[in-house]
Amino acid sequence: MSLHRIREQAFRDKDTPFEQAALDIESSALVRLPEALRRRTGGLLRWCGRKLDDMLRPDMRAILLARSVSGISMLHIDSRLALDQCATKCRGAILEIGAFVGGGTITMASAMKRSGNEAPVLAIEVGGSSENPLMPSNDIIRDLKSNLDRYGVVDRVTIIEGWSNEVLGDVERLLAGHKIGLLVIDADGEVIRDICIYRKVLQRGAAIVIDDYASNEPNIKSPVVRAAVEKLVSDGLLRKTKILPWGTWFGTYRG
Ligand SMILES: C[S@@+](CC[C@H](N)C(=O)[O-])C[C@H]1O[C@@H](n2cnc3c(N)ncnc32)[C@H](O)[C@@H]1O
């Protein structure tokens, strides 16, 4: 099966559980070929097998995972795939502000595991309940923990329960000297406040992801977020890379 067909299937086949889809991919000829090259050949062919394996398997796993967490994330699948890329390339720690029930957190923690980056993954979440009809929750922290567990990243993520403007001390302690290479803000719209608090632990050039920059629906958060991001850009603290579906802003920290 071609890589294109496998990708298409991974997106389309929404009813197949993640584990089954992962098994299907593992047993597909495309994944078995590099394995066979690695095991049964020597020299150059073995090297090619390893390269193919490195290239294909993470890519397909990321797509499957992005599709699989759709029911537990408010971010568009394209933004989650881009988050996966940012986390894969991240050379420092990850800080997420507003984890909700973990769709984005799982995406980033899984990418860090795949890429072998052992720096901390910290998720700040104030908790409470959600009446969102598509994703209701009676207890956000409980559901966040159980989702992290279900996707095998509960040991890779540290949840910091509280408001982002009250937990800088915890973040600094848990970073244990690491700097943040990827900061994701998807919380109460107070983007300038959060950037000002956490800039002291940000790497220069860190990837910054801010949700609710734009929205097609009437939304009280978007105009506030947009104005904040524009101000940070015009002050030279942030630089835009691109805006992905459902209005998620991607850029870098220039401070
Ligand atoms: C839009 S949801 C986040 C969605 C999540 N990023 C995803 O992938 O689905 C916003 C979350 O941020 C939390 N929150 C809002 N303001 C916060 C703050 N200042 N500090 C910590 N959590 C906050 C809310 O409890 C809620 O769970």
Side-chain angles (χ1 to χ4, degrees):
M1 205 190 299
S2 73
L3 178 57
H4 179 68
R5 284 277 312 281
I6 290 181
R7 275 207 184 105
E8 288 283 290
Q9 192 172 310
F11 268 116
R12 216 177 333 106
D13 195 4
K14 293 200 169 44
D15 295 330
T16 312
F18 173 64
E19 294 75 10
Q20 183 54 50
L23 280 178
D24 290 349
I25 287 215
E26 293 294 322
S27 61
S28 78
L30 196 81
V31 166
R32 284 209 320 268
L33 170 72
E35 221 165 75
L37 282 178
R38 260 192 357 226
R39 265 193 278 116
R40 292 193 216 122
T41 57
L44 183 62
L45 276 180
R46 193 158 40 224
W47 182 84
C48 292
R50 243 192 343 260
K51 286 281 156 207
L52 259 177
D53 208 26
D54 288 351
M55 221 167 68
L56 298 177
R57 211 185 291 243
D59 182 31
M60 287 184 291
R61 287 203 156 270
I63 292 169
L64 277 175
L65 184 67
R67 195 207 71 202
S68 170
V69 298
S70 286
I72 54 168
S73 176
M74 295 185 184
L75 300 168
H76 189 275
I77 188 164
D78 289 351
S79 296
R80 274 180 277 116
L81 282 169
L83 268 191
D84 178 282
Q85 286 296 307
C86 293
T88 302
K89 290 185 191 146
C90 177
R91 292 289 160 261
I94 293 180
L95 177 65
E96 182 186 31
I97 301 178
F100 188 48
V101 293
T105 328
I106 291 163
T107 304
M108 294 184 283
S110 305
M112 291 281 269
K113 266 178 102 169
R114 248 184 278 122
S115 66
N117 180 347
E118 290 179 359
V121 179
L122 309 179
I124 304 177
E125 173 52 60
V126 69
S129 60
S130 159
E131 281 165 20
N132 181 323
L134 296 175
M135 277 171 236
S137 171
N138 289 330
D139 184 339
I140 292 173
I141 297 285
R142 184 201 60 204
D143 292 345
L144 172 60
K145 283 181 186 156
S146 110
N147 287 332
L148 295 181
D149 192 27
R150 190 149 63 91
Y151 282 89
V153 290
V154 74
D155 299 333
R156 193 62 195 79
V157 178
T158 306
I159 300 170
I160 302 171
E161 203 174 329
W163 292 100
S164 54
N165 55 329
E166 292 175 357
V167 292
L168 172 65
D170 293 318
V171 170
E172 284 183 309
R173 180 176 50 79
L174 290 162
L175 282 174
H178 289 271
K179 289 260 177 178
I180 294 165
L182 169 56
L183 171 66
V184 180
I185 305 179
D186 186 9
D188 53 9
E190 295 287 342
V191 173
I192 295 185
R193 177 202 64 199
D194 286 338
I195 293 277
C196 288
I197 293 174
Y198 291 102
R199 62 183 291 193
K200 62 189 285 202
V201 281
L202 272 179
Q203 280 173 356
R204 188 174 159 76
I208 309 287
V209 179
I210 301 171
D211 194 34
D212 296 304
Y213 174 82
S215 170
N216 289 334
E217 292 154 22
N219 174 338
I220 48 165
K221 216 159 103 181
S222 288
V224 181
V225 170
R226 192 185 193 110
V229 173
E230 301 291 307
K231 166 102 176 72
L232 291 164
V233 170
S234 74
D235 287 353
L237 276 187
L238 300 186
R239 183 185 294 163
K240 179 176 109 180
T241 309
K242 62 160 79 170
I243 297 160
L244 287 177
W246 297 354
T248 306
W249 186 96
F250 284 75
T252 48
Y253 175 64
R254 314 309 302 166

